[in-house]
Amino acid sequence: MERERERAREKRRRLLIVSAAVVGVLGLAAVVGVIAANTGGNSDTSGKGPVTVPSGAVGEDGLIIQTGASDAPSTLTVWEDFRCPACAMFENSFRDTIHELEAAGQIRTHYRLATIIDGNMGGSGSLNAANASACAQDAGRFTAYHDVLYQNQPQEADDAFAKDENLFELAAKVPGLDTPSFRGCVSNGTHDSWVQASNEVFRDGDFRGTPSVLLNGESIFPTKGNEQISPANLKKWVTEANEGKEPGTPTAPTTPAPSTPATASPTGAGGGDPEGDAGDQGSQGGQGGQDSGAGFGPGSGTESVH
């Protein structure tokens, strides 16, 4: 009986040793799995070639496309995604006001690009359109092409900007842009890595989504303090910020490009998905009217970072 009890104790001891070993192996596997999950993206080298900065880009690592006079007393920073309906809503409502303030030497605008819709909904339209806008910057036609893209934005779920031909069709609306050089830049994804670097800065920043709009570093979208953003309020805030300061060099007013929708973009100016999607916060279709005086309250929504 004593020998039987000893054998039973030995069996339990071995069982405990084996169980502990299994738990240890599983724990190590779990740790390795976490490490792989956190670093797996680093093994994907697609689109991660040398960063080619667009001509005239400014800021740290050349990740900012600047419009307006460089000596303007105030800086308007706009983080955008070309597939983002809320960005089109902002652009189509404030475009004329921004151009007017730039022309008067009151502000310079820093455009910074993100690709969160590609991440939220799949596809590559955000990246492709941002690269194309950088190619337009190389050609000295960023502002006009930027405006055309938002005036002809497809529905959020329609990844039409992923197709180069659609971007070429819209480039034809900007005089002098649709050239072999521009087409080659778009087709080759010349600035893809630059766009991805910009998107990484956006993701690492303290932003809730796009558009994120700042005046001299202070967030003003959708509100500044207790005041809701509107074209009139934007002018007022710039005037207050520039009090006692000399305006910068006046620039030539920007001539609006035709806003006729492209064939691939049947929704026309700022045409967002009217139902939005589960990953975004209350996104609505863009507004066609420019500088309409429409404001953006808390319910207007932004494209959220996920």
Side-chain angles (χ1 to χ4, degrees):
M1 290 178 64
E2 183 62 28
R3 284 196 296 270
E4 289 296 328
R5 284 196 293 269
E6 182 61 29
R7 280 197 294 268
R9 283 196 295 268
E10 180 63 18
K11 183 177 180 180
R12 287 196 299 272
R13 188 176 71 85
R14 287 197 300 267
L15 181 60
L16 287 172
I17 292 172
V18 172
S19 298
V22 170
V23 170
V25 170
L26 291 177
L28 178 60
V31 171
V32 171
V34 170
I35 294 173
N38 288 333
T39 61
N42 293 336
S43 64
D44 181 8
T45 58
S46 60
K48 302 217 177 192
V51 173
T52 303
V53 177
S55 175
V58 301
E60 185 176 359
D61 298 325
L63 296 178
I64 296 169
I65 292 180
Q66 178 176 280
T67 61
S70 59
D71 59 350
S74 286
T75 302
L76 184 73
T77 302
V78 184
W79 282 97
E80 295 181 322
D81 181 324
F82 282 106
R83 286 181 70 187
C84 159
C87 297
M89 184 190 297
F90 171 79
E91 282 293 338
N92 294 329
S93 295
F94 288 83
R95 177 181 300 113
D96 289 351
T97 303
I98 292 172
H99 290 337
E100 178 184 337
L101 290 169
E102 287 179 339
Q106 297 298 311
I107 63 169
R108 59 179 174 266
T109 306
H110 283 178
Y111 288 101
R112 311 200 64 165
L113 306 180
T115 60
I116 62 173
I117 305 301
D118 286 355
N120 288 351
M121 302 194 69
S124 60
S126 298
L127 173 63
N128 207 31
N131 171 67
S133 75
C135 296
Q137 170 70 10
D138 288 339
R141 291 169 171 79
F142 170 82
T143 298
Y145 191 57
H146 163 274
D147 293 351
V148 164
L149 288 174
Y150 278 116
Q151 289 167 332
N152 295 274
Q153 186 189 70
Q155 290 190 1
E156 187 177 14
D158 178 4
D159 195 24
F161 284 166
K163 299 176 182 177
D164 291 350
E165 285 301 322
N166 294 336
L167 297 176
F168 299 154
E169 184 177 350
L170 293 177
K173 296 177 179 291
V174 179
L177 179 58
D178 190 13
T179 64
S181 176
F182 172 79
R183 288 187 172 226
C185 181
V186 173
S187 298
N188 295 330
T190 298
H191 299 296
D192 280 358
S193 292
W194 176 83
V195 175
Q196 291 165 343
S198 178
N199 188 61
E200 286 302 312
V201 173
F202 175 77
R203 286 193 169 276
D204 291 342
D206 187 21
F207 302 108
R208 291 184 301 173
T210 54
S212 285
V213 185
L214 304 92
L215 179 62
N216 297 327
E218 179 185 0
S219 176
I220 61 170
F221 183 92
T223 60
K224 179 180 181 290
N226 295 322
E227 294 182 287
Q228 179 177 307
I229 193 170
S230 68
N233 276 344
L234 178 57
K235 290 181 180 180
K236 183 185 79 168
W237 298 337
V238 169
T239 298
E240 292 171 349
N242 291 350
E243 186 175 358
K245 301 176 183 177
E246 290 294 323
T249 305
T251 59
T254 301
T255 302
S259 58
T260 305
T263 303
S265 308
T267 55
D273 180 358
E275 297 180 358
D277 80 279
D280 302 322
Q281 301 173 359
S283 300
Q284 301 295 323
Q287 297 176 348
Q290 296 181 10
D291 202 5
S292 61
F296 289 80
S300 62
T302 59
E303 299 300 327
S304 58
V305 183
H306 296 293

